[in-house]
Amino acid sequence: MIARVLIDGPSELVFDYAIPPDLPVEAGCRVRIPIRQKTSSGTVLSVIPPPEQSQFAMREVQSLIEPEPLITPILLKVARWISDYYGSSIESVIRSILPEAVRTEDNSAKTRRIATACENPDPAEIEKLVKRAPRQHAILTLLLATENRTLPTTDLGEGSAATLKSLATKGLIKISTEEIRRNPEAAEEIIPSTPLTLNNQQQEAFEAINASLANLSEPQPPFLLLGVTGSGKTEVYLQSAQAALDLDKTVLVLVPEIALTPQTVRRFKARFSHLTDQVAVLHSNLSQGERFDEWHRIRKGTARIVIGARSAVFAPLPDLGLIIIDEEHESTYKQENIPRYQARDVAVLRAAFEPCAIVLGSATPSLESWQNTLSGKYKVLRLDKRADAHSMPLVRVIDMRLEKQKQKGQVAILSDRLRTALEQRLEKGEQSILFLNRRGFARSLQCHSCGYVCECPHCAVALTYHRTDERLVCHVCGHQSIVPRKCPECKNPGIAFQGYGTQKVEEVLQKVLPEARFARIDADAMRRKNALKDILKKFKSNKIDILIGTQMIAKGLHFPNVTLVGILNADLGLHIPDFRAGERTFQLITQVAGRAGRGELEGEVIVQTYTPHSPSIQFARKHDFDGYAEQEMEMRRQFSFPPFAHCGVLTARSTHERRAEFTLQTLHLRLKENLPPGITLGEVLPSPLIRSHDQFRFQITLRSHKARPLSKHVQAILQKTSLPEDVIVVFDMDAYNFS
Ligand code: ADP
Ligand code: ZN
């Protein structure tokens, strides 16, 4: 037989090698192979029959790096599907499944020598040592007094090798090698938690998931756990995970972003703290060695619960019983770089292949998942009330157009109502969260006289003023420049700020509530390591009164003393050219509002907006997902947008504007020839972000009720067309980003 091998390294080479008769090479194995004069390493993609007749003597696989395949047949199948569906090369997908740290042999497991005293040594023997060999006696006594009678040899003092050897010869101790785990979580303190008694709806949901777990010999329909914020979804996840473990199965938990969901991660750790070594958390900031160890602990089945973000969907868990996807609507599940994929959809596919049970949870499900429940593909499980019997927070909508008139045309940042509410919370010693989806001090710098706006020289966006370092910063490419004192265009000194950001809010608060203690959470403030953790800890222990933040604080945070949430400019996200703008705004407001009143105290939410009647705001105000979904779905159906069609975006970019546009026009012509039925081909248009990182961008949007024909057609045309070297063309299937 022949092994088709993907060679390690950036060049994505695939070569065939003959398999020597005595070498058990399977698909998914890591192998050493000869390339020219050298030995290289690679991954076996498939094992295939030899060609009928071949002119060349094929070179042979030299050896196996690991005795067993590192990629399971199911993950290989998943890889092929991703490559096919999203048009990513199989090489790029395999690279995500086998992370760099695992492919590099230098990271292999660390071992150490340990000494173990024998059980019940003869007291006479010990007595003899006291005089003749006091060092041996000291070491033996130390070991006997230690738990398991074992210590690493390095803990037994310098130059103890000879002493240990003598003890071993006498049969008093045994020296052996032990694998040590580089444990990234070692320093963390966790308080164990016990299961809560489930309420009726939680119990129903739990039983449905349990029934699925009991019936894994057949593929089970995915569950959509639709529960309002604070309804106890996490408790259902925890008990379902336990049920899967009880069946000797493993559990995969996906969260939108590890750093932004510290509380969810802690709750899993707390519930399964008695299984210390069985929980693995896959952070993006693990060292290569840690990643290597965690990966192998997972593959061997030692770690039985894996928590991670998007790429953890490839975690090599054996005997997978349950996949949980928390906040399934989050766009972070979409990978925007190569290989492009949507981790939620890949997880659903993996669950079908395994087969295992899968639960997608959210208070504001994506309309894609919602449509799947309406069509009967997914089963919905509902939690309609908050678990702790408290009511949902009261949401007030403030019309900022009126507020602007009151404040004589000035941009109002805090309405009277919100300011009063903040004062009341301060008096009562309760906490508040202020949410603004924009970092920086002010949005942009604009000349009042000629209208000139300071823009990024590389991207078609206005620069944002950052007060702390007195700079204008591009939020697309990071370009920084100094703040001009007068208009660069007409030299008028009347250049002023438009809009505002989190830093400006901080400044206003300092003025109106000088006695309040506040902290800011946004990407700028969080550049320091552990900054987020530190602030959340302080907030939890009531050392901060008001937390100001961007969407970084919208997810999964639970602070019982927060009774007020203010959303400063709720319509910021509404006016971008993206059909999901309304859906995102609804999700964001509902999620942020859900941070209020999560303890004994009742919560209040104040939403400031310039478009108080927009459905996103009105339905979020009533916590009404069904109502929102119904009216939004009607619109999507009418215009054939997802979830009623699949939508792919073909983008061309180049430093040469004309060449980018021309390339896309050529592709448009070819796509149009023999266009399969059912596909709507859009025109070549400039992207909303027409210039970014010095490159001009154009795009074509394609839509189709069936995904496969669309994906296939575009890929076939891309393969047949040779592109100019200085134009980059990208196809994004099921796109989430239309800028
Ligand atoms: P969600 O994940 O849906 O936002 P959580 O799981 O965070 O909700 O639950 C909100 C709060 O309710 C938490 O403090 C949790 O401990 C509590 N809770 C959940 N289930 C129960 C229950 N069955 N009985 C009492 N309290 C519960
Ligand atoms: Zn820029």
Side-chain angles (χ1 to χ4, degrees):
M1 296 295 273
I2 289 194
R4 184 149 284 175
V5 179
L6 165 67
I7 314 297
D8 288 349
S11 44
E12 310 219 328
L13 298 171
V14 176
F15 291 131
D16 288 349
Y17 292 89
I19 301 176
D22 51 343
L23 209 58
V25 175
E26 295 171 48
C29 277
R30 296 276 298 149
V31 289
R32 286 192 195 84
I33 60 272
I35 285 200
R36 293 190 201 94
Q37 267 32 278
K38 285 196 198 134
T39 295
S40 198
S41 53
T43 310
V44 179
L45 293 179
S46 55
V47 172
I48 48 175
E52 300 259 302
Q53 33 175 244
S54 141
Q55 291 103 327
F56 311 102
M58 199 174 275
R59 302 183 78 176
E60 286 193 342
V61 175
Q62 288 174 344
S63 59
L64 285 168
I65 296 174
E66 302 261 347
E68 275 161 40
L70 284 193
I71 307 181
T72 62
I74 288 169
L75 282 175
L76 270 178
K77 215 165 134 189
V78 168
R80 283 200 193 93
W81 185 90
I82 292 178
S83 162
D84 232 43
Y85 186 89
Y86 296 102
S88 316
S89 68
I90 183 86
E91 293 82 358
S92 66
V93 186
I94 296 282
R95 271 173 229 287
S96 296
I97 294 183
L98 274 189
E100 176 72 40
V102 177
R103 279 181 276 122
T104 316
E105 284 179 73
D106 316 342
N107 292 319
S108 52
K110 292 269 178 296
T111 55
R112 63 177 175 186
R113 307 277 288 161
I114 49 168
T116 309
C118 70
E119 236 173 313
N120 308 319
D122 182 355
E125 283 280 321
I126 300 180
E127 197 50 39
K128 270 196 253 169
L129 290 181
V130 179
K131 279 204 193 110
R132 273 189 241 158
R135 278 200 63 180
Q136 291 183 30
H137 180 257
I139 286 178
L140 187 60
T141 326
L142 180 63
L143 287 174
L144 287 169
T146 308
E147 207 186 337
N148 299 327
R149 309 185 310 282
T150 301
L151 279 175
T153 54
T154 45
D155 288 3
L156 296 171
E158 297 262 322
S160 60
T163 320
L164 290 175
K165 210 169 163 195
S166 314
L167 279 169
T169 326
K170 292 186 186 114
L172 289 169
I173 67 167
K174 219 172 71 201
I175 297 174
S176 51
T177 313
E178 174 190 72
E179 226 174 73
I180 43 172
R181 172 184 169 211
R182 289 157 282 201
N183 183 355
E185 317 286 330
E188 205 178 1
E189 245 180 85
I190 294 286
I191 303 159
S193 78
T194 47
L196 303 169
T197 312
L198 298 178
N199 62 33
N200 287 346
Q201 282 193 314
Q202 283 175 316
Q203 184 68 28
E204 260 173 54
F206 172 67
E207 276 168 18
I209 297 166
N210 230 344
S212 241
L213 284 172
N215 205 6
L216 288 187
S217 47
E218 295 160 34
Q220 297 292 315
F223 291 109
L224 178 72
L225 182 60
L226 169 53
V228 297
T229 52
S231 59
K233 293 184 289 297
T234 313
E235 187 63 31
V236 174
Y237 301 152
L238 291 169
Q239 299 201 17
S240 309
Q242 182 64 58
L245 294 183
D246 291 344
L247 293 167
D248 275 334
K249 296 283 186 177
T250 58
V251 179
L252 173 61
V253 184
L254 297 185
V255 293
E257 229 169 307
I258 290 278
L260 299 188
T261 50
Q263 290 182 328
T264 310
V265 175
R266 282 184 77 87
R267 282 167 78 181
F268 270 89
K269 284 193 199 160
R271 182 59 55 85
F272 299 102
S273 60
H274 56 294
L275 307 174
T276 23
D277 280 347
Q278 302 190 14
V279 181
V281 181
L282 296 175
H283 292 272
S284 54
N285 55 1
L286 292 182
S287 70
Q288 292 285 74
E290 285 168 345
R291 188 170 296 279
F292 179 95
D293 286 3
E294 293 304 275
W295 197 89
H296 281 280
R297 269 168 18 86
I298 295 167
R299 191 183 72 91
K300 283 185 208 142
T302 318
R304 295 171 66 217
I305 303 180
V306 175
I307 307 174
R310 187 171 62 222
S311 63
V313 71
F314 301 123
L317 288 149
D319 299 318
L320 190 55
L322 175 64
I323 302 178
I324 292 164
I325 304 180
D326 193 23
E327 309 291 6
E328 67 90 28
H329 63 279
E330 282 288 343
S331 51
T332 46
Y333 286 122
K334 176 74 195 305
Q335 160 104 356
E336 296 289 359
N337 301 320
I338 292 170
R340 287 186 181 71
Y341 62 90
Q342 157 56 277
R344 176 192 65 215
D345 299 348
V346 172
V348 169
L349 184 90
R350 181 173 176 185
F353 285 168
E354 292 276 350
C356 74
I358 180 165
V359 180
L360 320 184
S362 176
T364 52
S366 63
L367 294 182
E368 283 78 2
S369 296
W370 186 237
Q371 174 57 22
N372 280 331
T373 67
L374 297 181
S375 73
K377 249 165 100 182
Y378 295 0
K379 265 198 218 162
V380 65
L381 306 169
R382 278 182 182 266
L383 307 177
D384 297 320
K385 287 197 290 280
R386 284 204 157 169
D388 41 18
H390 297 298
S391 46
M392 295 299 289
L394 180 68
V395 181
R396 293 177 208 283
V397 175
I398 308 290
D399 187 342
M400 292 306 276
R401 292 171 302 187
L402 305 176
E403 210 62 34
K404 195 168 169 178
Q405 287 165 12
K406 264 198 283 185
Q407 306 193 5
K408 303 198 184 69
Q410 288 275 321
V411 183
I413 292 177
L414 284 185
S415 58
D416 290 342
R417 177 112 217 182
L418 183 53
R419 205 194 55 237
T420 318
L422 283 168
E423 281 164 0
Q424 287 167 352
R425 296 312 183 292
L426 270 182
E427 274 164 30
K428 287 195 270 183
E430 295 169 11
Q431 292 171 295
S432 310
I433 292 178
L434 290 183
F435 177 84
L436 175 68
N437 206 5
R438 177 184 291 143
R439 58 198 170 102
F441 186 78
R443 182 166 53 168
S444 57
L445 218 49
Q446 186 175 31
C447 175
H448 280 329
S449 154
C450 75
Y452 174 87
V453 176
C454 291
E455 279 196 3
C456 175
H458 313 286
C459 312
V461 293
L463 293 168
T464 301
Y465 175 56
H466 287 241
R467 190 186 48 169
T468 30
D469 37 10
E470 277 291 325
R471 298 231 150 230
L472 292 173
V473 180
C474 170
H475 282 191
V476 173
C477 76
H479 169 86
Q480 300 202 352
S481 62
I482 53 158
V483 183
R485 296 281 154 240
K486 49 188 181 191
C487 174
E489 202 63 19
C490 73
K491 314 296 174 212
N492 182 332
I495 190 156
F497 303 114
Q498 296 282 311
Y500 59 92
T502 39
Q503 291 186 22
K504 175 76 182 176
V505 176
E506 209 175 5
E507 190 191 87
V508 169
L509 279 181
Q510 243 146 17
K511 269 197 208 124
V512 298
L513 300 167
E515 71 281 25
R517 299 163 300 171
F518 39 77
R520 202 180 83 227
I521 291 191
D522 57 24
D524 296 315
M526 294 304 116
R527 262 185 246 141
R528 190 169 59 77
K529 210 185 161 194
N530 286 332
L532 181 67
K533 252 191 187 161
D534 293 348
I535 290 186
L536 292 181
K537 209 165 150 191
K538 268 195 186 159
F539 194 54
K540 181 142 210 164
S541 52
N542 274 314
K543 290 192 184 106
I544 294 170
D545 301 310
I546 303 174
L547 195 62
I548 310 158
T550 58
Q551 73 262 41
M552 291 182 85
I553 59 171
K555 291 171 197 149
L557 298 180
H558 178 85
F559 297 105
N561 197 34
V562 172
T563 58
L564 174 68
V565 168
I567 300 175
L568 295 176
N569 193 346
D571 16 39
L572 263 189
L574 274 180
H575 310 297
I576 50 173
D578 180 338
F579 69 87
R580 286 194 184 88
E583 182 183 0
R584 293 219 176 97
T585 302
F586 171 79
Q587 290 167 343
L588 201 61
I589 296 177
T590 311
Q591 295 286 346
V592 177
R595 304 304 122 219
R598 292 176 68 101
E600 294 297 313
L601 306 163
E602 208 167 300
E604 181 184 6
V605 179
I606 294 180
V607 179
Q608 302 188 156
T609 169
Y610 288 91
T611 48
H613 299 296
S614 108
S616 302
I617 288 171
Q618 283 305 324
F619 284 109
R621 169 188 183 184
K622 288 178 246 152
H623 314 282
D624 182 3
F625 171 75
D626 291 78
Y628 178 72
E630 196 179 333
Q631 71 84 36
E632 178 70 19
M633 295 277 262
E634 195 38 54
M635 193 274 286
R636 301 271 182 97
R637 189 195 305 273
Q638 252 178 37
F639 295 100
S640 271
F641 274 121
F644 298 100
H646 287 268
C647 187
V649 176
L650 191 62
T651 306
R653 54 176 211 261
S654 170
T655 46
H656 300 269
E657 184 170 6
R658 288 293 143 247
R659 225 164 323 181
E661 190 177 10
F662 181 73
T663 304
L664 210 52
Q665 271 158 353
T666 310
L667 284 168
H668 189 267
L669 276 179
R670 304 225 167 141
L671 284 166
K672 209 163 162 183
E673 284 167 25
N674 309 318
L675 188 71
I679 299 182
T680 315
L681 176 65
E683 293 303 315
V684 175
L685 295 172
S687 303
L689 180 58
I690 172 132
R691 189 157 163 247
S692 148
H693 298 77
D694 282 325
Q695 290 183 314
F696 293 90
R697 309 164 78 245
F698 292 85
Q699 64 184 35
I700 302 173
T701 306
L702 298 102
R703 279 177 289 162
S704 167
H705 289 281
K706 290 213 178 81
R708 288 305 184 120
L710 170 58
S711 170
K712 246 182 159 164
H713 183 56
V714 177
Q715 284 176 55
I717 298 297
L718 283 178
Q719 251 160 30
K720 272 192 262 171
T721 313
S722 60
L723 303 168
E725 245 175 42
D726 52 0
V727 179
I728 297 168
V729 174
V730 165
F731 180 57
D732 189 7
M733 183 63 190
D734 292 341
Y736 280 71
N737 184 350
F738 293 85
S739 63

